[in-house]
Amino acid sequence: MYFQNVFVRFSPKEVYCYFDMDEPRFGLHLSYIVPGDVDNIVAHPVKSGSMVLAPRGYHPTVASPGTRNAYYWVLAAHSHESRSYDLAVLDPRREQMN
């Protein structure tokens, strides 16, 4: 699989690999650090072959109308001892919305 878009800013911990979203279908991978701080969201357009590294913060995804948001979610660690499986944390400012 060829990944067209790679966004690197920090040492990665989570990787989202998008598939089955051929053009004209697309989605948005949103990233923000501070809980509830939606004024500083960075939006990454994604489609089949896109890969987004998400080392920290909150990163919801959304699909365009008529599109299924399809991705593999991969967790990475530097060593066996540093592995953690409790990385999925809801934004406390948005938790009541679920």
Side-chain angles (χ1 to χ4, degrees), residues 29-65:
H29 183 100
L30 309 172
S31 300
Y32 62 101
I33 304 299
V34 179
D37 186 14
V38 295
D39 292 329
N40 291 307
I41 285 179
V42 175
H44 307 286
V46 294
K47 59 185 178 182
S48 285
S50 296
M51 183 172 74
V52 179
L53 305 177
R56 62 184 179 145
Y58 304 96
H59 27 271
T61 68
V62 62
S64 61

Side-chain angles (χ1 to χ4, degrees), residues 21-26 64 67:
M21 297 171 68
D22 294 330
E23 289 187 23
R25 293 176 173 86
F26 70 96
S64 61
T67 302

